Amino acid sequence: MFDVDALRNRAIRSGVTINDDIRALLADQCRVPRDSVAINTRLAEDLGLGGRGAVEFFSRLADRHRVDLTALWQGWDEYFDPDDTARRFGLMLLTIFVIGVAGPQLGDFLNLSRGQELVLVLGLFIAAWAIINRKRRRAARTIRVSDVVAAVERGRWE
């Protein structure tokens, strides 16, 4: 398959440790300063890594370090929320409909003035926006940078 010790030795000879390389990959993926990524940093909670960004990071990690992430992929939902882009897009379309069509018609039905209708539409928009952006459930398990480093050193996710 591949020789994890040889990979580690090559990284050490080049002056870059696995820890440093993983921290650099995370900083690049999450667009944060490299020094803000420490060994105890939580990927989802501290760096906001999730959804497609998490998939991209772990795919890059697997390719770069030849680490087997089968166990991670199989338990993905334990670590990260499912990507809810489709739900958010649908709710955004609903919001546009409410603001553009239903709000004014409801205002006419209730015999509201244009000012009252504007307040109604604004209230509906705020309610829809709050639903769209509500806090997502917290994943059951946390991944720290140290977990990623350990997986690379082992050559597989456990």
Side-chain angles (χ1 to χ4, degrees):
M1 190 168 197
F2 56 88
D3 186 353
V4 175
D5 291 326
L7 181 66
R8 186 181 309 114
N9 291 337
R10 188 172 63 228
I12 290 169
R13 280 194 307 272
S14 70
V16 177
T17 66
I18 292 172
N19 178 26
D20 291 339
D21 188 55
I22 290 169
R23 290 174 56 213
L25 284 171
L26 280 166
D28 180 55
Q29 182 69 45
C30 299
R31 300 175 201 259
V32 298
R34 189 176 294 186
D35 61 350
S36 69
V37 182
I39 196 73
N40 291 335
T41 301
R42 300 170 301 175
L43 275 57
E45 296 87 345
D46 299 334
L47 297 176
L49 189 66
R52 280 186 230 125
V55 171
E56 289 171 8
F57 166 73
F58 281 105
S59 295
R60 286 175 62 194
L61 180 80
D63 289 343
R64 187 174 185 130
H65 290 283
R66 303 269 188 225
V67 60
D68 178 8
L69 298 177
T70 303
L72 175 65
W73 299 130
Q74 289 172 344
W76 188 258
D77 290 347
E78 294 178 34
Y79 300 101
F80 298 100
D81 287 336
D83 191 11
D84 62 352
T85 304
R87 181 188 63 83
R88 287 178 180 249
F89 181 72
L91 287 173
M92 185 55 69
L93 289 178
L94 177 63
T95 302
I96 291 169
F97 172 77
V98 166
I99 291 171
V101 177
Q105 289 188 357
L106 186 58
D108 289 343
F109 177 76
L110 296 174
N111 210 14
L112 300 176
S113 69
R114 290 295 168 208
Q116 291 170 323
E117 182 180 301
L118 181 62
V119 170
L120 173 69
V121 168
L122 184 60
L124 291 172
F125 176 77
I126 290 170
W129 192 253
I131 291 169
I132 291 170
N133 291 303
R134 75 179 187 275
K135 187 172 174 102
R136 296 167 58 172
R137 73 168 174 84
R138 185 180 159 127
R141 297 178 68 186
T142 296
I143 298 176
R144 297 182 185 276
V145 173
S146 58
D147 299 323
V148 179
V149 171
V152 170
E153 289 174 346
R154 278 190 308 270
R156 70 185 178 290
W157 190 267
E158 291 182 348

